[in-house]
Amino acid sequence: MAHVYESARSRNEYLLFHYGTDDEILPWHEGPQTALGFAVRTVSELIDVRRPLTRALDVGCATGRSSFELARHCNAVVGVDFSESFVAAATRLRDAGFHDYERTEEGELFTPLVARVPEDIDRERVRFETGDATDLRADLGSFDVVHAANLIDRLPKPMRFLERLPGLVNPGGQLLLASPFTWLEEFTPRSEWLGGLMREGQPVRTSDALRELLVPYFELDLQCDLPFLIREHARKYQWSVACGTRWIRR
């Protein structure tokens, strides 16, 4: 289902999700305002700025907003995504600082908008590349921060990604994960789900499975709820709550 993220509509949705102003995304003041700015908050609310922050990896970076946010703290940021369309948009934002796109209003009606990287972010610190989170290239190196938001439940084999993490995060480094745990067979075969099912008559929850998988290598340092809002058109939204965690490499 990776092709879902190659469409112009999906790219535009994510440009709005990542870069839209509050009013561009949600003009309804009675709406869930605390769910705005998710791509920024997965960094600002999870990262520990007291720890060494030199090099960061953003896996599943989509159109790149979290990668740019990481550049506020790290000298070098690598953003990786499977979608060539997303990476092309992120790279254009890195090179030009802006990207024209269209917001869907209703049916075939659109509003032209411009995504912009905040001027106080050094875009030169960031670079983007296409890549598979379940088969990241061997020469990526290691990082002080690895960030992965809304990724694990969109991978066909999430265990492959998780097994790679101990070698990607430096000792004392941070792993920032966020996910609503939306397991769907369109993306992940049921046999590969980390949670959301019954085993031997007992419920298996993703948060518990992550602890079991990560604790040999990482210490859970923070857990919090991170609501987010994706606008599909003027009168339809997806409101979700991701589980945000910060793990420290042992």
Side-chain angles (χ1 to χ4, degrees):
M1 292 290 290
H3 65 278
V4 169
Y5 297 111
E6 296 295 351
S7 69
R9 185 184 185 98
S10 184
R11 180 202 63 211
N12 289 343
E13 240 178 49
Y14 270 75
L15 283 168
L16 179 63
F17 180 37
H18 278 204
Y19 299 92
T21 66
D22 290 357
D23 287 340
E24 287 172 346
I25 298 171
L26 185 66
W28 317 100
H29 296 297
E30 64 272 29
Q33 302 287 330
T34 58
L36 298 169
F38 178 74
V40 173
R41 289 186 290 110
T42 59
V43 175
S44 64
E45 295 188 23
L46 294 181
I47 199 167
D48 184 351
V49 296
R50 298 168 299 178
R51 292 179 174 271
L53 298 169
T54 300
R55 194 164 185 251
L57 174 66
D58 188 7
V59 188
C61 66
T63 55
R65 184 63 184 87
S66 295
S67 303
F68 289 119
E69 194 64 21
L70 285 166
R72 293 186 187 276
H73 311 288
C74 303
N75 295 329
V77 181
V78 180
V80 179
D81 201 276
F82 193 76
S83 167
E84 293 182 0
S85 175
F86 283 1
V87 169
T91 299
R92 180 173 174 181
L93 279 153
R94 187 258 188 199
D95 292 343
F98 68 94
H99 192 310
D100 297 325
Y101 69 103
E102 293 181 329
R103 180 185 66 185
T104 301
E105 300 300 341
E106 178 183 339
E108 298 179 352
L109 303 179
F110 304 92
T111 296
L113 293 175
V114 181
R116 298 185 187 278
V117 180
E119 292 185 1
D120 60 340
I121 291 176
D122 183 357
R123 306 194 311 272
E124 296 295 320
R125 294 183 171 190
V126 186
R127 63 181 177 84
F128 298 98
E129 62 182 68
T130 55
D132 183 347
T134 64
D135 189 23
L136 293 167
R137 58 185 174 86
D139 60 350
L140 267 175
S142 59
F143 300 85
D144 300 307
V145 182
V146 172
H147 173 276
N150 293 3
L151 174 70
I152 59 172
D153 56 3
R154 287 298 177 265
L155 298 177
K157 293 184 179 293
M159 277 293 295
R160 286 189 181 176
F161 170 63
L162 295 172
E163 288 168 353
R164 181 71 189 278
L165 289 172
L168 288 173
V169 184
N170 292 324
Q174 305 176 58
L175 169 63
L176 312 180
L177 294 179
S179 173
F181 309 147
T182 306
W183 298 106
L184 298 170
E185 288 194 278
E186 298 98 294
F187 296 96
T188 312
R190 187 179 181 280
S191 61
E192 300 290 340
W193 292 6
L194 299 179
L197 38 68
M198 302 289 289
R199 288 199 186 114
E200 300 178 355
Q202 298 297 319
V204 178
R205 302 192 184 279
T206 309
S207 56
D208 295 330
L210 284 173
R211 284 190 184 92
E212 183 177 343
L213 292 164
L214 294 175
V215 159
Y217 309 97
F218 296 88
E219 177 184 352
L220 179 60
D221 192 49
L222 174 70
Q223 180 169 323
C224 62
D225 292 328
L226 294 172
F228 64 94
L229 190 70
I230 297 178
R231 183 189 192 275
E232 294 186 26
H233 61 71
R235 295 181 179 273
K236 184 182 179 185
Y237 293 78
Q238 300 174 33
W239 181 82
S240 307
V241 181
C243 175
T245 52
R246 177 174 70 229
W247 303 80
I248 305 302
R249 181 72 166 94
R250 296 184 189 278

